[in-house]
Amino acid sequence: SVDPTNPILLSNRSAAHLSNGEKSKSLADARECIRVSDGSFTKGYSRLAAAMMSLGRWGEAKAAYGKVLERDANNVAARKGVEDCRNREVAQNMAEVERLKKIREEKEAAAAEVAEKKRLEEEEEEARRKEEEEKAKTDASADGGGGDGDDLLDDFFADVETSTAKKKEEPGKEETSEAKGDDSTSAAEDTEEKTEKKIQIHLSDLGSSSDQIERLLAPNHEWRNLNPFYVLSVPHDVPPELLSRRYKALSLLLHPDKCPDVRATDAFEYVRRAMNSLTDEDKARHTRALITQGMKQGKREYGGSDPVELAKAQEKAIMKIFAEIERSRREVERRKRAQDQREREQEDEEVRKTKAEMSFNKKWREEDRVEKRIGNWRDFQGGDGKKQKKGY
């Protein structure tokens, strides 16, 4: 009899299932083929890759073809399979990007429509205000007005505004020169002592361990902390050396060995993940691009001039972008788990049917029903295959 655990049998049966459109069965046999051969049967990985491709799971199919190439670097079919999976995966990602882009554009269009409506209303309100002012001036002129006295008063207020503007500009210049001086100084400060002083500056800026724990574990922190720059509490355009010092300062405050608060472990884990993601240049560049996009979107949606409210609108828009990406990632994971669950259930159902059939056949033979049926057939054949009729 044929050994049902023979890798060659399982490989061929997987191919047969796939040709009949039975994708789940094909996948189950391919996995079993690899299992019973301890991964030494290369054809099993080819069958697994083919089953994964039929299910549209390009990443897993590409990985299976990679296993084939590890064992046979000149396998033409595996090379072609890897290339095909890569192309299909790119196409799938592009389709997902287009879908998200379309959703974003629809939201932006709706926000732009609201902003345009608000702008028109403000323009109408401004036009009415100017009209009322002109009317008031006209009425005042008709009544005799204030003449030269009003002109002198206007000149006085103009001089005051000019003087105030100059005073405001001067501190700005001083701050700019101080900032430039700080930059040049920080470029020259390479000693450990000066580095420690800079970390102490970060510590004074961050406050206490309790303050940072409350910030990082506040309500909805799992969504806020998706933005690594928020976790490190720095602007998204800071230089890498500042990020490193900020991370060291937060570590001094939140590392479980430094902070006795039981919540410090969770808070520090967010800090560690944030720094790891920003250490990767590609991830850091992508994160900065998302934040820039969120700032532009928040500015469009707000449309006002209050800097405090604008900052709140931008923070909200940035958090929405990161939350949308995280929801998409979780949805992909959920679908993958559901797909694996369906495949397992199908495989379990096949096993159940096989066991039921084997149990039925065993019971059939134990009750001698097979021999009885064969005996009846032989008796029938012995009687020339015809029953005698009564009365003849």
Side-chain angles (χ1 to χ4, degrees), residues 66-86:
K67 293 289 186 181
V68 176
L69 292 174
E70 287 177 6
R71 292 159 174 77
D72 182 8
N74 298 321
N75 192 305
V76 178
R79 288 181 178 276
K80 185 177 181 299
V82 168
E83 185 64 24
D84 191 18
C85 289
R86 186 181 293 113

Side-chain angles (χ1 to χ4, degrees), residues 54-153:
S54 69
L55 292 167
R57 296 161 70 169
W58 315 117
E60 295 173 79
K62 185 170 64 175
Y65 278 128
K67 293 289 186 181
V68 176
L69 292 174
E70 287 177 6
R71 292 159 174 77
D72 182 8
N74 298 321
N75 192 305
V76 178
R79 288 181 178 276
K80 185 177 181 299
V82 168
E83 185 64 24
D84 191 18
C85 289
R86 186 181 293 113
N87 293 336
R88 290 174 180 267
E89 195 172 20
V90 169
Q92 188 179 50
N93 291 339
M94 289 180 65
E96 180 65 14
V97 168
E98 287 297 323
R99 185 183 72 82
L100 295 175
K101 182 180 177 181
K102 185 178 179 181
I103 293 173
R104 185 173 64 253
E105 287 176 349
E106 289 175 353
K107 290 181 178 179
E108 289 177 354
E113 184 178 354
V114 172
E116 180 64 16
K117 184 178 179 181
K118 184 177 180 181
R119 185 184 66 81
L120 292 174
E121 291 176 352
E122 289 177 350
E123 287 181 354
E124 291 177 0
E125 181 64 27
E126 181 68 15
R128 282 196 298 268
R129 186 182 63 79
K130 288 182 178 180
E131 184 179 353
E132 291 174 357
E133 288 178 356
E134 290 295 332
K135 185 178 179 182
K137 288 181 181 179
T138 303
D139 293 342
S141 299
D143 293 337
D148 295 337
D150 289 342
D151 293 337
L152 291 172
L153 190 61

Side-chain angles (χ1 to χ4, degrees), residues 1 14 18 20 55 62 81 95 117 119 174 179 181 224 237 246 260 270-271 307 327 329 353 359 372:
S1 61
S14 175
L18 189 60
N20 288 333
L55 292 167
K62 185 170 64 175
K117 184 178 179 181
R119 185 184 66 81
E174 293 175 3
R224 293 180 183 276
D237 53 356
R246 177 67 78 166
Y270 280 119
V271 173
R327 277 197 295 267
R329 186 192 68 78
K353 288 182 179 179
S359 177
K372 290 178 182 178

Side-chain angles (χ1 to χ4, degrees), residues 214-382:
E214 293 297 332
R215 180 178 69 86
L216 292 171
L217 300 182
N220 297 320
H221 65 271
E222 65 273 13
W223 298 107
R224 293 180 183 276
N225 293 344
L226 293 172
N227 178 2
F229 288 101
Y230 170 81
V231 174
L232 298 179
S233 190
V234 292
H236 71 290
D237 53 356
V238 296
E241 59 270 15
L242 192 146
L243 282 176
S244 178
R245 290 196 291 269
R246 177 67 78 166
Y247 174 70
K248 290 177 182 177
L250 283 168
S251 298
L252 290 173
L253 292 174
L254 298 175
H255 195 283
D257 294 341
K258 304 284 185 181
C259 179
D261 195 316
V262 294
R263 300 172 299 168
T265 301
D266 293 336
F268 179 72
E269 181 63 19
Y270 280 119
V271 173
R272 187 188 65 80
R273 290 180 188 173
M275 191 60 190
N276 286 343
S277 67
L278 294 178
T279 304
D280 187 315
E281 291 185 3
D282 292 334
K283 289 182 179 179
R285 190 182 305 111
H286 178 62
T287 301
R288 288 188 175 94
L290 291 176
I291 293 175
T292 301
Q293 176 188 339
M295 293 179 72
K296 292 179 180 178
Q297 183 175 327
K299 186 175 182 180
R300 284 196 302 269
E301 291 176 353
Y302 174 59
S305 58
D306 186 348
V308 176
E309 294 300 323
L310 173 61
K312 290 181 180 179
Q314 289 176 327
E315 181 184 357
K316 186 176 180 182
I318 291 169
M319 190 167 66
K320 281 184 178 179
I321 288 176
F322 279 98
E324 183 178 337
I325 293 173
E326 177 64 12
R327 277 197 295 267
S328 298
R329 186 192 68 78
R330 292 185 182 184
E331 179 63 18
V332 170
E333 290 294 328
R334 186 193 65 78
R335 290 178 181 176
K336 185 176 179 181
R337 288 195 299 270
Q339 186 176 14
D340 290 342
Q341 179 64 25
R342 286 195 299 270
E343 290 170 357
R344 285 195 296 271
E345 290 174 355
Q346 290 175 353
E347 292 169 10
D348 292 343
E349 180 64 17
E350 290 297 322
V351 171
R352 188 192 66 78
K353 288 182 179 179
T354 301
K355 287 183 178 180
E357 184 178 353
M358 292 175 62
S359 177
F360 177 80
N361 291 337
K362 183 179 180 181
K363 188 175 180 181
W364 175 277
R365 286 182 172 82
E366 287 176 351
E367 293 177 356
D368 295 331
R369 296 175 68 181
V370 175
E371 293 298 327
K372 290 178 182 178
R373 294 290 295 273
I374 293 174
N376 292 339
W377 174 252
R378 287 172 179 167
D379 293 342
F380 176 74
Q381 290 291 91

